[in-house]
Amino acid sequence: MLKLHDYWRSSAAYRVRIALNLKGLDYTAIGHDLRTNAHHDPAYKALNPQGLVPALDIGGQVLTQSSAIIEWLEETCPQPPLLPQAAADRAVVRSMAALVACDIHPLNNLRVLRELKAELGADDTRTKVWATGWIAEGFTALESLIARHGRGYCFGDVPTLADCFLVPQVFSAQRFNVSLDPYPHIRAVNERCDEHTAFVRAHPRHQPDADTVDSNR
């Protein structure tokens, strides 16, 4: 049985939950509350020296970093595929995922926002401006790419790696009250994914460690 070290509101862990569900794989979720620094527990850092989520225990070996985990899933469980067949198309899908993973998410995750407050004295208003600005810049680029390549999903007419990354970032954006009105293609993809069982099961509100008060935000 796969064991996913998780946190219900982590965008990176959310990506992996979607991919596992799309592949039809069973797993056990082990929650680590990032707000209480549970991920810095020595027992967990012995598994994942970086002390972040997600980490996937595949039976004696622990994989880290959501992109690497999902690529491993694609290589070891190729059906249904999360990458298209043509090499150039695969590169496009990977670039869309990387736009989220490398250019949007790192600038609005919890530890960065904490650092802005602790080291630079930014208040809640300034940290929100910081986060929403980077989200908007990334979403503007993604909107154009989806308009060019999407046919219901980010790329083509079936879910791919790109959708695994986009949907959690939309969830995060909504927590910052970012409107999707300027991004009709992103909104349409997110709404379609909201009707897909794999995405529904992966949603933060359905995780066993979710806050009942905060799980819809």
Side-chain angles (χ1 to χ4, degrees), residues 66-132:
S66 62
S67 298
I69 293 170
I70 297 174
E71 289 278 1
W72 176 83
L73 290 172
E74 182 73 355
E75 291 174 4
T76 59
C77 185
Q79 298 300 324
L82 298 181
L83 290 167
Q85 186 172 5
D89 292 344
R90 294 162 78 91
V92 170
V93 170
R94 285 188 171 107
S95 72
M96 295 168 82
L99 196 160
V100 173
C102 302
D103 298 329
I104 302 177
H105 174 249
L107 294 169
N108 62 77
N109 66 17
L110 180 60
R111 61 179 180 159
V112 168
L113 299 184
R114 281 178 170 175
E115 193 73 7
L116 288 173
K117 291 180 178 181
E119 298 299 325
L120 301 178
D123 59 14
D124 287 342
T125 299
R126 293 303 303 163
T127 55
K128 182 179 179 181
V129 169
W130 166 275
T132 57

Side-chain angles (χ1 to χ4, degrees), residues 69-206:
I69 293 170
I70 297 174
E71 289 278 1
W72 176 83
L73 290 172
E74 182 73 355
E75 291 174 4
T76 59
C77 185
Q79 298 300 324
L82 298 181
L83 290 167
Q85 186 172 5
D89 292 344
R90 294 162 78 91
V92 170
V93 170
R94 285 188 171 107
S95 72
M96 295 168 82
L99 196 160
V100 173
C102 302
D103 298 329
I104 302 177
H105 174 249
L107 294 169
N108 62 77
N109 66 17
L110 180 60
R111 61 179 180 159
V112 168
L113 299 184
R114 281 178 170 175
E115 193 73 7
L116 288 173
K117 291 180 178 181
E119 298 299 325
L120 301 178
D123 59 14
D124 287 342
T125 299
R126 293 303 303 163
T127 55
K128 182 179 179 181
V129 169
W130 166 275
T132 57
W134 292 115
I135 292 169
E137 181 174 306
F139 275 10
T140 298
L142 271 174
E143 178 71 11
S144 295
L145 291 170
I146 295 171
R148 187 181 306 167
H149 299 288
R151 295 194 305 277
Y153 290 98
C154 285
F155 188 100
D157 57 3
V158 295
T160 67
L161 182 72
D163 302 285
C164 295
F165 281 72
L166 174 66
V167 169
Q169 188 58 58
V170 169
F171 173 78
S172 177
Q174 290 171 333
R175 290 184 56 238
F176 289 107
N177 297 316
V178 173
S179 173
L180 295 182
D181 289 346
Y183 318 109
H185 291 92
I186 289 176
R187 185 177 66 247
V189 169
N190 189 66
E191 289 174 352
R192 185 164 189 183
C193 290
D194 277 345
E195 299 174 353
H196 193 299
T197 302
F199 290 84
V200 172
R201 288 178 54 209
H203 194 283
R205 76 167 72 93
H206 296 140

